[in-house]
């Protein structure tokens, strides 16, 4: 519709009313035309809101470790930065251990604390098994009645000495150590002493010796008349020796010629052995 105002005219659109039919199907899109030239850049708009963080991509393969460079001087420690977004990085390789520092001086010992109270006694344990028998102890000293020394002779001894310095040894007892307080009994036996002369007053003397010293005559056999005298002899002497090693012997002398002290191995018609015996009596 055209309208005229003040000598000019313009067109005015008036609504046109009619019944609209159904929309037809959309036609196929035409091919895209060539792009036009880029216009001048417009002003930068305001920054939009930050979108949500996308999913973390998969970690790529670890590259080869490079050669370790020389250690540089330690820098000053910087301020601690803010904590970054989540996701811990892989742990780096451990650095070489530093050299051990010198050992510090030992501190003084603290005072000893007070002793605690004694605890109650525990129950007695079971008896252990019997241990093995210990070694035998040393042999004790000989008691009274013990035979200390016994020495016998089984062959006759001819007496040739006529004085104490030249007395003939008949039998010598083994050495023993006297304790200085105990008494000992010294005994001598021979089956016979035979004088060697038929003259009267010929005698044989048997002496007790302590080492090389004569300490007394134990027995004497003497002819009463001009005839040979044959006599068995048993003689004994009780004494208390000094505390020392002792060796006792019987030695014989005759005033003239020679004499004999008999002894044998024993047996039918054979003289018994002669002997010297020492017994502890106290």
């Amino acid at each position: 519709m055209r309208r005229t105002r003040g000598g000019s005219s313009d067109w005015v659109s008036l609504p046109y009313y009619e019944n609209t039919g159904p929309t037809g199907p959309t036609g196929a899109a035409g091919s895209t035309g060539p792009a036009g030239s880029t216009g001048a850049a417009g002003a930068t708009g305001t920054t939009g809101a930050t979108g949500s963080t996308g999913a973390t991509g998969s970690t790529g393969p670890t590259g080869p470790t490079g050669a370790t460079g020389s250690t540089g001087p330690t820098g000053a420690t910087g301020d601690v930065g803010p904590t970054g977004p989540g996701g811990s990085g892989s742990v780096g390789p451990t650095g070489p251990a530093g050299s051990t520092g010198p050992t510090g001086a030992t501190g003084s010992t603290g005072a000893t604390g007070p002793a605690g109270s004694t605890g109650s006694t525990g129950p007695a344990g079971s008896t252990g098994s019997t241990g093995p028998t210990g070694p035998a102890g040393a042999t004790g000293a000989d008691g009274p009645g013990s035979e200390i020394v016994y020495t016998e002779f089984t062959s006759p001894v001819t007496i040739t000495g006529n004085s104490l310095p030249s007395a003939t040894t008949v039998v010598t007892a083994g050495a023993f150590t006297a304790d200085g307080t105990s008494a000992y009994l010294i005994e001598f036996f021979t089956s016979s002493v035979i004088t060697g002369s038929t003259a009267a007053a010929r005698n044989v003397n048997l002496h007790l010796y302590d080492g090389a010293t004569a300490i007394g005559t134990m027995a004497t056999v003497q002819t009463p008349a001009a005839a040979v005298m044959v006599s068995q002899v048993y003689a004994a002497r009780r004494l208390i020796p000094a505390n020392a090693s002792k060796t006792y012997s019987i030695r014989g002398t005759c005033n003239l010629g020679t004499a004999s002290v008999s002894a044998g191995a024993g047996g039918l018609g054979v003289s018994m052995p002669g002997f010297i015996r020492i017994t502890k009596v106290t």
Side-chain angles (χ1 to χ4, degrees):
M1 176 178 181
R2 187 174 184 180
R3 182 177 60 183
T4 302
R5 182 182 295 176
S8 62
S9 64
D10 51 17
W11 292 92
V12 177
S13 296
L14 296 176
Y16 174 74
Y17 299 99
E18 63 181 344
N19 294 328
T20 304
T23 303
T26 303
S31 58
T32 303
S37 59
T38 303
T44 303
T46 58
T47 302
T50 303
S52 58
T53 304
T56 303
S58 59
T59 303
T62 303
T65 303
T68 303
S70 59
T71 304
T74 304
T77 304
D79 298 331
V80 178
T83 303
S88 300
S90 59
V91 178
T94 302
S99 59
T100 303
T103 303
T106 303
S108 58
T109 303
T112 303
S117 58
T118 303
S120 58
T121 303
S126 57
T127 303
S129 57
T130 303
T133 302
T139 303
D142 295 309
S146 299
E147 183 177 82
I148 306 302
V149 178
Y150 175 83
T151 305
E152 64 181 32
F153 58 104
T154 57
S155 297
V157 177
T158 300
I159 305 298
T160 60
N162 301 126
S163 63
L164 288 176
S166 61
T168 302
T169 300
V170 178
V171 62
T172 301
F176 73 99
T177 300
D179 58 20
T181 58
S182 299
Y184 296 85
L185 183 66
I186 303 173
E187 301 171 274
F188 170 76
F189 169 79
T190 178
S191 60
S192 63
V193 172
I194 305 171
T195 61
S197 173
T198 59
R202 300 298 170 90
N203 58 57
V204 178
N205 295 302
L206 298 175
H207 312 281
L208 177 62
Y209 274 68
D210 179 355
T213 302
I215 59 175
T217 300
M218 293 279 282
T220 297
V221 176
Q222 179 173 309
T223 60
V228 172
M229 185 71 174
V230 178
S231 178
Q232 183 190 73
V233 173
Y234 170 80
R237 172 75 169 101
R238 183 183 185 275
L239 48 74
I240 301 175
N243 181 9
S245 177
K246 293 294 181 178
T247 302
Y248 291 100
S249 63
I250 300 295
R251 304 185 190 187
T253 59
C254 56
N255 60 349
L256 284 174
T258 61
S260 178
V261 177
S262 299
L268 183 62
V270 180
S271 295
M272 296 296 288
F275 64 81
I276 183 172
R277 176 169 57 197
I278 303 174
T279 305
K280 186 174 183 180
V281 293
T282 63

